[in-house]
mmCIF file of all heavy atoms in Angstrom:
data_model
loop_
_atom_site.group_PDB
_atom_site.id
_atom_site.type_symbol
_atom_site.label_atom_id
_atom_site.label_comp_id
_atom_site.label_asym_id
_atom_site.label_seq_id
_atom_site.Cartn_x
_atom_site.Cartn_y
_atom_site.Cartn_z
ATOM 1 N N LEU A 146 1.205 149.400 122.137
ATOM 2 C CA LEU A 146 0.011 149.540 121.319
ATOM 3 C C LEU A 146 -0.287 151.027 121.176
ATOM 4 O O LEU A 146 -0.328 151.747 122.174
ATOM 5 C CB LEU A 146 -1.170 148.823 121.981
ATOM 6 C CG LEU A 146 -0.917 147.386 122.460
ATOM 7 C CD1 LEU A 146 -2.147 146.841 123.168
ATOM 8 C CD2 LEU A 146 -0.512 146.490 121.302
ATOM 9 N N TYR A 147 -0.496 151.467 119.945
ATOM 10 C CA TYR A 147 -0.663 152.895 119.674
ATOM 11 C C TYR A 147 -2.115 153.206 119.314
ATOM 12 O O TYR A 147 -2.669 152.641 118.376
ATOM 13 C CB TYR A 147 0.244 153.318 118.517
ATOM 14 C CG TYR A 147 1.718 153.122 118.811
ATOM 15 C CD1 TYR A 147 2.380 151.971 118.387
ATOM 16 C CD2 TYR A 147 2.440 154.083 119.514
ATOM 17 C CE1 TYR A 147 3.730 151.780 118.652
ATOM 18 C CE2 TYR A 147 3.799 153.907 119.775
ATOM 19 C CZ TYR A 147 4.437 152.758 119.350
ATOM 20 O OH TYR A 147 5.774 152.566 119.618
ATOM 21 N N LEU A 148 -2.720 154.126 120.062
ATOM 22 C CA LEU A 148 -4.092 154.552 119.789
ATOM 23 C C LEU A 148 -4.100 155.622 118.703
ATOM 24 O O LEU A 148 -3.210 156.487 118.644
ATOM 25 C CB LEU A 148 -4.722 155.131 121.057
ATOM 26 C CG LEU A 148 -4.982 154.152 122.214
ATOM 27 C CD1 LEU A 148 -5.389 154.930 123.457
ATOM 28 C CD2 LEU A 148 -6.061 153.153 121.835
ATOM 29 N N ASN A 149 -5.108 155.581 117.857
ATOM 30 C CA ASN A 149 -5.255 156.581 116.802
ATOM 31 C C ASN A 149 -5.480 157.960 117.437
ATOM 32 O O ASN A 149 -6.471 158.159 118.140
ATOM 33 C CB ASN A 149 -6.446 156.209 115.912
ATOM 34 C CG ASN A 149 -6.539 157.068 114.670
ATOM 35 O OD1 ASN A 149 -6.108 158.210 114.653
ATOM 36 N ND2 ASN A 149 -7.136 156.518 113.623
ATOM 37 N N PRO A 150 -4.579 158.921 117.192
ATOM 38 C CA PRO A 150 -4.712 160.234 117.831
ATOM 39 C C PRO A 150 -5.865 161.070 117.285
ATOM 40 O O PRO A 150 -6.234 162.083 117.878
ATOM 41 C CB PRO A 150 -3.362 160.903 117.529
ATOM 42 C CG PRO A 150 -2.924 160.270 116.236
ATOM 43 C CD PRO A 150 -3.392 158.851 116.325
ATOM 44 N N ARG A 151 -6.439 160.630 116.172
ATOM 45 C CA ARG A 151 -7.522 161.393 115.553
ATOM 46 C C ARG A 151 -8.911 160.848 115.913
ATOM 47 O O ARG A 151 -9.913 161.365 115.425
ATOM 48 C CB ARG A 151 -7.358 161.389 114.035
ATOM 49 C CG ARG A 151 -6.073 162.071 113.536
ATOM 50 C CD ARG A 151 -6.084 162.189 112.019
ATOM 51 N NE ARG A 151 -4.911 162.886 111.515
ATOM 52 C CZ ARG A 151 -3.808 162.272 111.092
ATOM 53 N NH1 ARG A 151 -3.743 160.944 111.127
ATOM 54 N NH2 ARG A 151 -2.773 162.969 110.645
ATOM 55 N N VAL A 152 -8.950 159.808 116.711
ATOM 56 C CA VAL A 152 -10.224 159.158 117.030
ATOM 57 C C VAL A 152 -10.487 159.249 118.529
ATOM 58 O O VAL A 152 -9.661 158.835 119.341
ATOM 59 C CB VAL A 152 -10.216 157.677 116.588
ATOM 60 C CG1 VAL A 152 -11.496 156.980 117.025
ATOM 61 C CG2 VAL A 152 -10.061 157.583 115.082
ATOM 62 N N GLU A 153 -11.651 159.789 118.887
ATOM 63 C CA GLU A 153 -12.041 159.854 120.292
ATOM 64 C C GLU A 153 -12.810 158.587 120.664
ATOM 65 O O GLU A 153 -13.732 158.184 119.964
ATOM 66 C CB GLU A 153 -12.921 161.090 120.547
ATOM 67 C CG GLU A 153 -12.187 162.409 120.407
ATOM 68 C CD GLU A 153 -13.060 163.587 120.809
ATOM 69 O OE1 GLU A 153 -14.164 163.351 121.350
ATOM 70 O OE2 GLU A 153 -12.640 164.731 120.574
ATOM 71 N N MET A 154 -12.398 157.969 121.763
ATOM 72 C CA MET A 154 -13.073 156.771 122.254
ATOM 73 C C MET A 154 -13.199 156.845 123.767
ATOM 74 O O MET A 154 -12.317 157.377 124.438
ATOM 75 C CB MET A 154 -12.281 155.511 121.880
ATOM 76 C CG MET A 154 -12.214 155.209 120.400
ATOM 77 S SD MET A 154 -11.309 153.670 120.045
ATOM 78 C CE MET A 154 -9.602 154.239 120.271
ATOM 79 N N THR A 155 -14.290 156.308 124.285
ATOM 80 C CA THR A 155 -14.397 156.173 125.734
ATOM 81 C C THR A 155 -13.370 155.144 126.192
ATOM 82 O O THR A 155 -12.827 154.365 125.395
ATOM 83 C CB THR A 155 -15.796 155.694 126.141
ATOM 84 O OG1 THR A 155 -16.015 154.377 125.563
ATOM 85 C CG2 THR A 155 -16.879 156.654 125.656
ATOM 86 N N ALA A 156 -13.125 155.113 127.492
ATOM 87 C CA ALA A 156 -12.176 154.133 128.016
ATOM 88 C C ALA A 156 -12.658 152.715 127.741
ATOM 89 O O ALA A 156 -11.858 151.826 127.431
ATOM 90 C CB ALA A 156 -11.978 154.357 129.510
ATOM 91 N N GLY A 157 -13.973 152.484 127.847
ATOM 92 C CA GLY A 157 -14.506 151.160 127.581
ATOM 93 C C GLY A 157 -14.287 150.719 126.151
ATOM 94 O O GLY A 157 -13.914 149.574 125.890
ATOM 95 N N LYS A 158 -14.526 151.615 125.211
ATOM 96 C CA LYS A 158 -14.313 151.310 123.801
ATOM 97 C C LYS A 158 -12.834 151.068 123.524
ATOM 98 O O LYS A 158 -12.459 150.098 122.852
ATOM 99 C CB LYS A 158 -14.820 152.461 122.940
ATOM 100 C CG LYS A 158 -14.572 152.308 121.437
ATOM 101 C CD LYS A 158 -15.415 151.205 120.847
ATOM 102 C CE LYS A 158 -15.294 151.176 119.327
ATOM 103 N NZ LYS A 158 -16.123 150.112 118.731
ATOM 104 N N ALA A 159 -11.980 151.945 124.059
ATOM 105 C CA ALA A 159 -10.538 151.795 123.851
ATOM 106 C C ALA A 159 -10.024 150.499 124.463
ATOM 107 O O ALA A 159 -9.120 149.862 123.917
ATOM 108 C CB ALA A 159 -9.801 152.992 124.436
ATOM 109 N N ALA A 160 -10.606 150.088 125.594
ATOM 110 C CA ALA A 160 -10.198 148.835 126.229
ATOM 111 C C ALA A 160 -10.440 147.654 125.304
ATOM 112 O O ALA A 160 -9.595 146.747 125.178
ATOM 113 C CB ALA A 160 -10.958 148.648 127.542
ATOM 114 N N ALA A 161 -11.594 147.634 124.654
ATOM 115 C CA ALA A 161 -11.886 146.554 123.718
ATOM 116 C C ALA A 161 -10.941 146.589 122.521
ATOM 117 O O ALA A 161 -10.495 145.540 122.026
ATOM 118 C CB ALA A 161 -13.335 146.653 123.248
ATOM 119 N N GLN A 162 -10.600 147.780 122.061
ATOM 120 C CA GLN A 162 -9.737 147.909 120.885
ATOM 121 C C GLN A 162 -8.312 147.447 121.170
ATOM 122 O O GLN A 162 -7.698 146.758 120.356
ATOM 123 C CB GLN A 162 -9.732 149.359 120.403
ATOM 124 C CG GLN A 162 -11.085 149.873 119.952
ATOM 125 C CD GLN A 162 -11.671 149.066 118.814
ATOM 126 O OE1 GLN A 162 -11.134 149.028 117.719
ATOM 127 N NE2 GLN A 162 -12.782 148.388 119.076
ATOM 128 N N VAL A 163 -7.749 147.824 122.306
ATOM 129 C CA VAL A 163 -6.382 147.386 122.613
ATOM 130 C C VAL A 163 -6.359 145.888 122.915
ATOM 131 O O VAL A 163 -5.359 145.201 122.653
ATOM 132 C CB VAL A 163 -5.754 148.196 123.765
ATOM 133 C CG1 VAL A 163 -5.583 149.658 123.347
ATOM 134 C CG2 VAL A 163 -6.552 148.088 125.052
ATOM 135 N N GLY A 164 -7.488 145.362 123.447
ATOM 136 C CA GLY A 164 -7.577 143.924 123.636
ATOM 137 C C GLY A 164 -7.549 143.186 122.318
ATOM 138 O O GLY A 164 -6.953 142.109 122.199
ATOM 139 N N HIS A 165 -8.159 143.751 121.312
ATOM 140 C CA HIS A 165 -8.127 143.166 119.971
ATOM 141 C C HIS A 165 -6.712 143.254 119.396
ATOM 142 O O HIS A 165 -6.216 142.306 118.772
ATOM 143 C CB HIS A 165 -9.113 143.909 119.071
ATOM 144 C CG HIS A 165 -9.520 143.131 117.864
ATOM 145 N ND1 HIS A 165 -10.757 143.271 117.267
ATOM 146 C CD2 HIS A 165 -8.877 142.209 117.123
ATOM 147 C CE1 HIS A 165 -10.834 142.480 116.212
ATOM 148 N NE2 HIS A 165 -9.707 141.823 116.107
ATOM 149 N N ALA A 166 -6.039 144.372 119.646
ATOM 150 C CA ALA A 166 -4.685 144.554 119.104
ATOM 151 C C ALA A 166 -3.702 143.542 119.678
ATOM 152 O O ALA A 166 -2.873 142.981 118.954
ATOM 153 C CB ALA A 166 -4.200 145.974 119.398
ATOM 154 N N SER A 167 -3.771 143.305 120.981
ATOM 155 C CA SER A 167 -2.843 142.341 121.585
ATOM 156 C C SER A 167 -3.069 140.943 121.025
ATOM 157 O O SER A 167 -2.121 140.172 120.811
ATOM 158 C CB SER A 167 -2.985 142.346 123.112
ATOM 159 O OG SER A 167 -4.280 141.929 123.510
ATOM 160 N N MET A 168 -4.327 140.591 120.756
ATOM 161 C CA MET A 168 -4.644 139.291 120.164
ATOM 162 C C MET A 168 -4.109 139.181 118.743
ATOM 163 O O MET A 168 -3.559 138.148 118.342
ATOM 164 C CB MET A 168 -6.145 139.082 120.160
ATOM 165 C CG MET A 168 -6.760 138.822 121.513
ATOM 166 S SD MET A 168 -8.560 138.777 121.358
ATOM 167 C CE MET A 168 -8.747 137.623 119.999
ATOM 168 N N LEU A 169 -4.272 140.241 117.955
ATOM 169 C CA LEU A 169 -3.790 140.220 116.578
ATOM 170 C C LEU A 169 -2.269 140.175 116.517
ATOM 171 O O LEU A 169 -1.681 139.630 115.566
ATOM 172 C CB LEU A 169 -4.291 141.451 115.822
ATOM 173 C CG LEU A 169 -5.796 141.528 115.547
ATOM 174 C CD1 LEU A 169 -6.127 142.815 114.797
ATOM 175 C CD2 LEU A 169 -6.276 140.321 114.747
ATOM 176 N N LEU A 170 -1.620 140.753 117.526
ATOM 177 C CA LEU A 170 -0.159 140.764 117.556
ATOM 178 C C LEU A 170 0.412 139.376 117.828
ATOM 179 O O LEU A 170 1.444 139.000 117.251
ATOM 180 C CB LEU A 170 0.314 141.740 118.641
ATOM 181 C CG LEU A 170 1.817 141.750 118.940
ATOM 182 C CD1 LEU A 170 2.607 142.192 117.706
ATOM 183 C CD2 LEU A 170 2.109 142.671 120.126
ATOM 184 N N ALA A 171 -0.224 138.610 118.689
ATOM 185 C CA ALA A 171 0.337 137.342 119.159
ATOM 186 C C ALA A 171 0.789 136.400 118.030
ATOM 187 O O ALA A 171 1.885 135.825 118.111
ATOM 188 C CB ALA A 171 -0.659 136.637 120.081
ATOM 189 N N PRO A 172 0.004 136.208 116.956
ATOM 190 C CA PRO A 172 0.448 135.277 115.901
ATOM 191 C C PRO A 172 1.699 135.724 115.156
ATOM 192 O O PRO A 172 2.318 134.929 114.445
ATOM 193 C CB PRO A 172 -0.759 135.220 114.950
ATOM 194 C CG PRO A 172 -1.926 135.650 115.778
ATOM 195 C CD PRO A 172 -1.382 136.662 116.717
ATOM 196 N N HIS A 173 2.065 136.988 115.296
ATOM 197 C CA HIS A 173 3.248 137.506 114.613
ATOM 198 C C HIS A 173 4.527 137.288 115.421
ATOM 199 O O HIS A 173 5.618 137.600 114.938
ATOM 200 C CB HIS A 173 3.081 139.004 114.330
ATOM 201 C CG HIS A 173 1.997 139.313 113.345
ATOM 202 N ND1 HIS A 173 2.225 139.419 111.986
ATOM 203 C CD2 HIS A 173 0.663 139.518 113.518
ATOM 204 C CE1 HIS A 173 1.088 139.681 111.363
ATOM 205 N NE2 HIS A 173 0.123 139.753 112.267
ATOM 206 N N LEU A 174 4.402 136.780 116.638
ATOM 207 C CA LEU A 174 5.556 136.602 117.509
ATOM 208 C C LEU A 174 6.036 135.159 117.480
ATOM 209 O O LEU A 174 5.248 134.225 117.319
ATOM 210 C CB LEU A 174 5.197 137.002 118.949
ATOM 211 C CG LEU A 174 4.668 138.429 119.133
ATOM 212 C CD1 LEU A 174 4.339 138.676 120.610
ATOM 213 C CD2 LEU A 174 5.662 139.465 118.626
ATOM 214 N N SER A 175 7.331 134.980 117.664
ATOM 215 C CA SER A 175 7.906 133.639 117.720
ATOM 216 C C SER A 175 7.561 132.976 119.054
ATOM 217 O O SER A 175 7.091 133.630 119.991
ATOM 218 C CB SER A 175 9.423 133.716 117.564
ATOM 219 O OG SER A 175 9.998 134.348 118.706
#
Side-chain angles (χ1 to χ4, degrees):
L146 311 177
Y147 298 96
L148 293 171
N149 189 332
R151 297 188 177 95
V152 175
E153 292 186 9
M154 293 182 283
T155 62
K158 176 69 173 181
Q162 298 301 296
V163 295
H165 200 150
S167 63
M168 288 174 51
L169 292 180
L170 172 63
H173 294 269
L174 303 179
S175 68

